[in-house]
Amino acid sequence: MSVGSPFSCVLWDVDGTLVDASDGILRRLTITLEHFGLPAPTRAELVHWIGPPLYESFQHHAGMTSEGATDAVSFYRALGKADGYTTDVKLYPGVKQIVDDLAAAGVPQGTASSKPENQVQALMLHFDLAEHMTAITGATPDEKTLATKADIVAEALRRMRAAGVDTSRPVLIGDRHHDVDGATANGVPVIFVRWGFSWPHEAEGAQAVVDNADELHALLLVDSDA
């Protein structure tokens, strides 16, 4: 049996899609917000924080000014660097097998994450996924220069094309509304995964919605002899 994909390349969101970093994020957010004299989020409130750029979240959810958010991001990133970017992070069940199987089928893959790129690189190396990623794309450290999901997806596609990848039929795998919005702005369909941190309505606009890795695998890899 020959296995192929209906997509010419696959882009992966990271937080909430490939990895669950919620334990470390909650701990660092708590320390950061208390440092700036603000209440820490509860675990239930993490849905508002995980996914979008922290620079935006510190303003939208903590009421900080642009300058205050810049300081908070710097403080938070320093905590993350001290922790090590892979501390308290785990892969979601079944996703590594999908990445491995896509690679075995010759399907180019890359990341398109709002997480700072150096952290994405560390995670891909830690979980032995880097070898399967043609381009590892994330946000700039300040989360300003390259921060919006639309810009990140555009940059990921640019890097894939520069590496000789056919980007005529791309797909983004993500778990938040900004994944859908950012991909749509680039004409990229989205497969929305429900195992991350999201509200039900956030899947609106996605090409498909899946509840587990088996369902995602079935959409990404098919019997090409059939």
Side-chain angles (χ1 to χ4, degrees), residues 36 56 68 81 110 115 200 205 223:
F36 287 94
E56 295 178 6
K81 184 175 182 180
K115 205 175 189 72
D223 179 2

Side-chain angles (χ1 to χ4, degrees), residues 138-186:
T140 48
D142 62 2
E143 295 192 0
K144 295 180 184 178
T145 309
L146 183 61
T148 70
K149 197 68 179 198
D151 287 347
I152 289 168
V153 171
E155 176 63 13
L157 290 170
R158 186 196 68 78
R159 293 183 188 183
M160 297 288 273
R161 283 192 294 269
V165 171
D166 174 7
T167 61
S168 63
R169 301 185 317 282
V171 66
L172 174 75
I173 316 302
D175 73 309
R176 299 304 306 270
H177 67 88
H178 74 285
D179 294 320
V180 178
D181 294 343
T184 300
N186 288 279

